[in-house]
Amino acid sequence: HDALPIWFPRPDNMPRVGGTDCLDSKGNLWATTDEGSVKMNVTTGKYTYYKAVTLGATYGCAVDSEDKMWVTEPGVDRLQVVDTAGKVSEVALPARKGIPSNDKDRELTTKVLFGATAHDVGANTSTPLQEGPRRLGADPKGNYVWVAEFFGDQLARIDIHTKQIKE
């Protein structure tokens, strides 16, 4: 039988792997990075890097029923989605509901989130208007990804086809 390598060193030209990992239906190993996600073919050891649309510290990952990889970015209230063709898109969560805010608050939140580097906006950093998506789970036979909103203290359901969010 074929001997699999026992060590899978990450190429130097890819961001550091850390945080969370998961498997797709083909047995490929996915992992979060500081700037997106990587997929490793466990048969060949080949890595493929997928840069997030909006950079922010990553936290959790899940693979949905269509083999799309979902990665949370709590500090920027985003989930990145990598489809089977390798195209990266994102889902932006709405600002928290029920928090009194005005235009100045929203302006400051935008400046804090998008005027910072990916390393400045971490998984434990937020403004009062953020939801903070962290851990998530995908229905392996269904149409939804479920996301725990850490700062918002609630769950969100995202339709994997329409990207519609229900909180």
Side-chain angles (χ1 to χ4, degrees), residues 102-122:
N102 57 38
D103 290 340
K104 188 72 174 170
D105 295 326
R106 287 183 283 283
E107 178 185 333
L108 180 59
T109 296
T110 301
K111 185 181 282 185
V112 167
L113 293 181
F114 300 106
T117 67
H119 299 287
D120 293 334
V121 182

Side-chain angles (χ1 to χ4, degrees), residues 114-133:
F114 300 106
T117 67
H119 299 287
D120 293 334
V121 182
N124 299 310
T125 307
S126 78
T127 69
L129 301 180
Q130 288 180 258
E131 298 289 7

Side-chain angles (χ1 to χ4, degrees), residues 8-59:
F8 300 96
R10 175 187 51 83
D12 291 336
N13 64 342
M14 290 194 183
R16 182 178 170 274
V17 174
T20 311
D21 60 12
C22 53
L23 294 169
D24 65 21
S25 69
K26 295 175 181 63
N28 295 308
L29 181 65
W30 288 82
T32 60
T33 74
D34 290 342
E35 300 174 3
S37 58
V38 295
K39 176 175 72 173
M40 184 187 71
N41 180 311
V42 295
T43 303
T44 65
K46 179 185 176 201
Y47 282 76
T48 306
Y49 167 59
Y50 302 93
K51 186 174 183 177
V53 175
T54 301
L55 295 182
T58 60
Y59 199 91

